[in-house]
């Protein structure tokens, strides 16, 4: 497979040829370029990282027809599908004679599912994404977000809406009368980030089975826990959600803590 730059150049070249032949009537030449574009798309199905780089570059182009073609193939490969659909909607509203018509037709094919059938794809992902990596990145994003507690330190009433965590009047008074400088807040936030990262690390170690739940009976063997990707086929929609069970488990945790030696 060629490198990103050469693929982008070839894709643009054949897109422009396909556009020009609509006006010149040289359909044989246009069909050859359409075949070349399809071959590029088919080749990128087996190169997901390269496909992302290629379409990220193509979606910055300024020619409407190039944007139309790359949006169609981005949708087929399920890369930035929402952005590609919005791009087609924008092109369809341009009022450009042929390009807008093609964009509007493509949107109808996406809606009906025929676009995926035409390209031997499905509505689910064709480009394989690393969902596990995405989950880990989300952990770091949430750690960064929730460690920013400067406003909470100064306004402790906004900490949480969960009724299990309440402040005494003395605690609220102590927090409100403390002079939290920017350096103090930055230091506290760094401590919280470190503790949350350690929390997630040890939690995932338990999930992986290389650590044991602290309050589990020692004689019970813990092999770990497996998280699986949801698909249209296995998503029954009737499972007990983990985020709900987290709160439900609070009373059980208190009971185990009181009985744990």
């Amino acid at each position: 497979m060629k490198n990103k730059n050469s693929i982008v150049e070839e894709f643009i070249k054949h897109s422009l040829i396909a556009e020009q032949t609509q006006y010149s009537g040289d359909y044989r030449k246009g069909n050859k370029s359409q075949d070349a574009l399809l071959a590029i798309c088919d080749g990128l199905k087996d190169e997901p990282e390269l496909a992302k780089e290629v379409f990220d570059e193509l979606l910055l182009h300024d020619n409407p027809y190039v944007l139309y073609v790359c949006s169609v193939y981005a949708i087929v490969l399920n890369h930035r599908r929402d952005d590609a659909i919005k791009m087609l909607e924008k092109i369809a509203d341009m009022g450009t004679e042929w390009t807008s018509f093609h964009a509007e037709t493509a949107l109808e094919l996406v809606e009906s599912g025929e676009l995926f059938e035409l390209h031997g794809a499905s509505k689910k992902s064709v480009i394989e994404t690393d969902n596990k990596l995405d989950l880990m990145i989300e952990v770091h994003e949430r750690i960064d977000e929730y460690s920013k507690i400067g406003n909470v330190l100064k306004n402790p009433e906004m900490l949480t809406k969960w009724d299990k965590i309440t402040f005494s009047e003395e605690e609220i008074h102590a927090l409100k009368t403390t002079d939290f400088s920017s350096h103090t807040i930055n230091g506290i936030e760094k401590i919280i980030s470190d503790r949350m990262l350690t929390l997630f690390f040890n939690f995932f170690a338990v999930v992986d089975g290389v650590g044991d739940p602290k309050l589990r009976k020692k004689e019970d063997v813990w092999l770990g826990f497996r998280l699986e990707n949801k698909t249209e086929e296995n998503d029954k929609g009737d499972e007990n959600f983990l985020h709900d069970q987290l709160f439900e488990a609070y009373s059980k945790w208190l009971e185990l803590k009181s009985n744990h030696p």
Side-chain angles (χ1 to χ4, degrees):
M1 196 72 180
K2 299 177 181 178
N3 62 41
K4 182 201 76 173
N5 291 336
S6 62
I7 295 172
V8 168
E9 290 175 4
E10 188 174 354
F11 193 100
I12 294 172
K13 180 185 77 173
H14 286 292
S15 295
L16 294 176
I17 291 172
E19 179 186 26
Q20 293 163 4
T21 56
Q22 292 180 103
Y23 300 99
S24 67
D26 190 350
Y27 298 114
R28 176 177 293 183
K29 185 177 182 181
N31 288 337
K32 287 183 178 179
S33 284
Q34 294 288 2
D35 290 341
L37 290 168
L38 183 59
I40 292 173
C41 179
D42 287 340
L44 289 173
K45 287 180 181 179
D46 298 322
E47 299 282 349
E49 292 304 319
L50 179 59
K52 292 176 184 179
E53 294 178 7
V54 167
F55 286 107
D56 282 344
E57 181 78 18
L58 288 169
L59 286 167
L60 297 175
H61 204 271
D62 56 4
N63 179 278
Y65 196 84
V66 173
L67 291 171
Y68 150 69
V69 178
C70 76
S71 293
V72 168
Y73 287 123
I75 292 170
V76 170
L77 293 177
N78 196 29
H79 177 56
R80 291 176 59 182
R81 186 173 286 180
D82 290 341
D83 291 338
I85 290 174
K86 289 178 182 177
M87 181 64 71
L88 288 178
E89 291 172 344
K90 181 179 179 181
I91 296 170
D93 290 337
M94 285 181 178
T96 307
E97 184 179 0
W98 283 106
T99 307
S100 293
F101 171 75
H102 287 312
E104 187 175 346
T105 302
L107 287 168
E108 293 174 356
L109 293 175
V110 171
E111 182 67 25
S112 67
E114 293 179 69
L115 181 69
F116 308 98
E117 295 176 7
L118 288 171
H119 291 276
S122 65
K123 287 188 177 182
K124 63 184 181 180
S125 174
V126 176
I127 292 182
E128 292 295 331
T129 56
D130 190 341
N131 289 336
K132 186 180 292 186
L133 178 59
D134 288 344
L135 181 63
M136 297 300 116
I137 291 173
E138 181 67 14
V139 166
H140 288 286
E141 175 65 20
R142 296 303 176 104
I143 288 175
D144 180 70
E145 177 184 353
Y146 290 113
S147 66
K148 301 294 188 290
I149 63 165
N151 287 335
V152 177
L153 287 172
K154 296 176 180 179
N155 303 281
E157 297 95 338
M158 65 183 291
L159 175 62
T160 180
K161 294 181 179 180
W162 192 35
D163 59 9
K164 301 295 183 183
I165 297 179
T166 58
F167 289 107
S168 67
E169 292 183 4
E170 292 78 9
E171 290 168 338
I172 292 177
H173 177 74
L175 287 169
K176 285 190 169 184
T177 55
T178 299
D179 182 18
F180 291 106
S181 69
S182 60
H183 295 298
T184 301
I185 291 175
N186 288 339
I188 292 172
E189 289 177 346
K190 288 179 180 179
I191 292 171
I192 291 173
S193 293
D194 176 77
R195 298 310 298 159
M196 283 198 289
L197 182 59
T198 303
L199 159 67
F200 277 107
F201 177 83
N202 286 298
F203 174 75
F204 284 127
V206 173
V207 171
D208 289 334
V210 297
D212 293 319
K214 287 187 174 181
L215 302 183
R216 190 179 176 88
K217 293 180 180 179
K218 292 183 179 180
E219 59 269 22
D220 293 337
V221 177
W222 175 259
L223 297 177
F225 197 81
R226 177 172 295 161
L227 299 177
E228 296 181 349
N229 291 333
K230 285 186 178 181
T231 66
E232 293 179 0
E233 289 77 15
N234 67 22
D235 184 13
K236 298 179 181 179
D238 58 355
E239 75 270 25
N240 293 320
F241 288 112
L242 294 175
H243 65 277
D244 289 331
Q245 290 182 303
L246 175 65
F247 292 99
E248 295 170 2
Y250 182 75
S251 58
K252 182 64 177 178
W253 171 72
L254 288 176
E255 177 186 337
L256 290 172
K257 285 288 287 184
S258 63
N259 296 329
H260 194 71

